[in-house]
Amino acid sequence: MKAVAEHTFPNCSPQLAVLDVTPAMSPEDVEREGRALMAQSAHAEWLILTDVFGATPNNGARLLLDPQGQRRLVSGLNAPMLWRSLCYGDQPLDALVGLAAEGGRAGVVVADIPAPSPKPE
């Protein structure tokens, strides 16, 4: 997904921090590495995106959330969600959460083969 972000929005991708979660990592490993990654940045607020709710990356990311709401989490990552997050990264965090989720939902489209047109009689 980082490559998708860098390809599509190369000017926005520097604001993107990525933590690759390996199969051997536990949620606690994800939390520890996530905190280390966030400590390298001056950002006060974080939108954290994960692929699947309940999987290890998401479970670890949930350990990063704070009561003040400066770290928010949206799961179900897809390219439109990522692109919205990058394009609207200057928005307040609460608005960005909504924009990211809507981008993810809007990016899911069932593209059926159209039915053939009826033949004129």
Side-chain angles (χ1 to χ4, degrees):
M1 292 305 279
K2 182 179 183 199
V4 169
E6 290 172 337
H7 173 78
T8 310
F9 295 105
N11 294 335
C12 295
S13 62
Q15 66 185 329
L16 182 65
V18 177
L19 173 59
D20 286 324
V21 178
T22 66
M25 292 173 74
S26 69
E28 293 76 22
D29 295 332
V30 174
E31 176 190 18
R32 184 180 60 255
E33 291 195 26
R35 290 190 189 282
L37 183 66
M38 289 189 290
Q40 297 173 16
S41 171
H43 295 293
E45 296 183 325
W46 288 82
L47 173 60
I48 303 167
L49 305 174
T50 64
D51 54 358
V52 179
F53 182 83
T56 299
N58 182 268
N59 291 337
R62 288 171 42 205
L63 297 172
L64 297 169
L65 300 180
D66 67 314
Q68 296 79 26
Q70 291 190 296
R71 292 186 292 272
R72 302 285 305 276
L73 173 61
V74 180
S75 62
L77 179 61
N78 60 22
M81 179 188 294
L82 177 59
W83 291 335
R84 281 252 180 120
S85 300
L86 291 172
C87 289
Y88 295 100
D90 60 343
Q91 295 296 308
L93 186 57
D94 286 339
L96 186 57
V97 167
L99 289 163
E102 180 53 35
R105 284 189 294 271
V108 177
V109 177
V110 177
D112 290 330
I113 298 173
S117 300
K119 294 184 180 190
E121 293 183 26

